[in-house]
Amino acid sequence: MQNLLGGDETMARSRSPQIMADAAHAVLTRDPAECTGRFLIDDDVLAEEGVTDLSVYGPPVEQLFPDFFLDA
């Protein structure tokens, strides 16, 4: 993101990579039968784990850079 799509301004409006690490950990420690065949999004995975405060990963959702792959 920083090198190709807007530099520091884009990075300031993006979540940290830690959100993906935490979501991946949550998925990898689940019963495999619960995740098979599902499309997963990091904040949805964390919500399923009871994480409601995403501020540790970056700006509030209304300030995030638009995602190219997800509908608003």
Side-chain angles (χ1 to χ4, degrees):
M1 291 295 291
Q2 186 168 19
N3 292 335
L4 301 174
L5 297 174
D8 292 336
E9 181 181 339
T10 300
M11 292 304 296
R13 295 182 55 205
S14 300
R15 290 193 172 133
S16 71
Q18 188 64 39
I19 193 169
M20 292 298 293
D22 291 350
H25 179 267
V27 170
L28 294 171
T29 57
R30 288 181 180 176
D31 176 0
E34 293 180 19
C35 291
T36 300
R38 292 181 56 199
F39 179 82
L40 303 170
I41 299 171
D42 51 10
D43 22 351
D44 293 341
V45 168
L46 294 175
E48 291 173 6
E49 297 294 316
V51 177
T52 57
D53 181 10
L54 300 179
S55 66
V56 297
Y57 302 112
V61 70
E62 58 273 357
Q63 294 176 9
L64 286 174
F65 192 78
D67 194 304
F68 295 118
F69 304 105
L70 300 175
D71 293 333

